[in-house]
Amino acid sequence: MTRGNAAQVKVHFKGKEDDFVIFVDSIQAVKDWKNDKSVPLAQVVSGWKVFCTHKQGTQGILDGASNSALENEFGTHNEEEVVKKILEQGDVQSTEESGRQGDRNITSGPSIAQGY
């Protein structure tokens, strides 16, 4: 897992019933695939997982899309066919992660009970 200022590129597909998201390697990889369909999808998609956001756009909680959700939206639950449709019809978005988040040192401060 990358830490720091790593770009995260995803493709968002707004469906009739739900919103779907897949992660891709880069914007350029998606453009190359759209221009030349002989490029293997494995060089475009970052992990073979289709996520749904329960109508929360790209910012919602990402849950793995069920076969029935894929079947209802795309007419198939074959992930390769679904990924192709999302790549063709979805919106590519890139976000910049700003490093790690969370508590840095929980041994000092109000989150630790002081035993006096």
Side-chain angles (χ1 to χ4, degrees):
M1 184 116 217
T2 310
R3 291 186 180 187
N5 297 329
Q8 187 180 58
V9 183
K10 54 189 163 186
V11 181
H12 171 252
F13 177 85
K14 185 166 182 61
K16 294 177 227 128
E17 298 296 321
D18 210 339
D19 293 349
F20 297 89
V21 171
I22 59 172
F23 290 93
V24 294
D25 291 338
S26 67
I27 295 172
Q28 188 60 44
V30 175
K31 287 179 183 177
D32 291 345
W33 180 84
K34 283 183 176 182
N35 291 332
D36 181 13
K37 300 285 199 262
S38 68
V39 173
L41 284 174
Q43 293 180 4
V44 179
V45 179
S46 182
W48 280 95
K49 186 79 173 158
V50 178
F51 297 97
C52 65
T53 63
H54 308 291
K55 290 300 217 180
Q56 299 296 313
T58 60
Q59 303 302 318
I61 295 173
L62 299 177
D63 289 330
S66 66
N67 284 347
S68 63
L70 296 177
E71 193 75 43
N72 289 340
E73 187 65 46
F74 300 100
T76 181
H77 63 271
N78 179 340
E79 286 193 354
E80 184 173 343
E81 294 301 316
V82 170
V83 166
K84 285 180 183 178
K85 288 182 182 179
I86 292 173
L87 286 173
E88 290 170 351
Q89 301 171 7
D91 299 320
V92 180
Q93 300 177 350
S94 178
T95 58
E96 193 78 20
E97 292 297 321
S98 59
R100 298 187 309 189
Q101 299 175 356
D103 293 335
R104 292 179 184 225
N105 186 358
I106 64 167
T107 60
S108 60
S111 62
I112 299 297
Q114 301 294 328
Y116 292 110

